[in-house]
Amino acid sequence: MGRYSFGSGPGDLDKPSGCDGWTIADVVNHVAGGGHRYVMLLQVRTRLRQL
């Protein structure tokens, strides 16, 4: 992740990343969003087990 975002500022988000066809913003959003969705799935699973 550091290779794509560390040392980058807000003005760099539209620049290409090391992932073909993805900007730095795309990579950051993908990683951050994936973590958020994973937490939501774990919360749902926990609630279902409590039923």
Side-chain angles (χ1 to χ4, degrees):
M1 183 72 184
R3 180 172 139 194
Y4 303 111
S5 63
F6 294 169
S8 299
D12 297 324
L13 293 176
D14 290 330
K15 291 182 179 178
S17 72
C19 299
D20 196 29
W22 288 45
T23 64
I24 293 173
D26 293 333
V27 173
V28 171
N29 288 332
H30 175 72
V31 172
H36 180 70
R37 285 186 297 277
Y38 186 69
V39 168
M40 289 186 337
L41 289 172
L42 290 176
Q43 290 171 341
V44 168
R45 181 178 175 193
T46 301
R47 288 185 190 137
L48 289 175
R49 285 185 170 180
Q50 295 171 350
L51 294 177

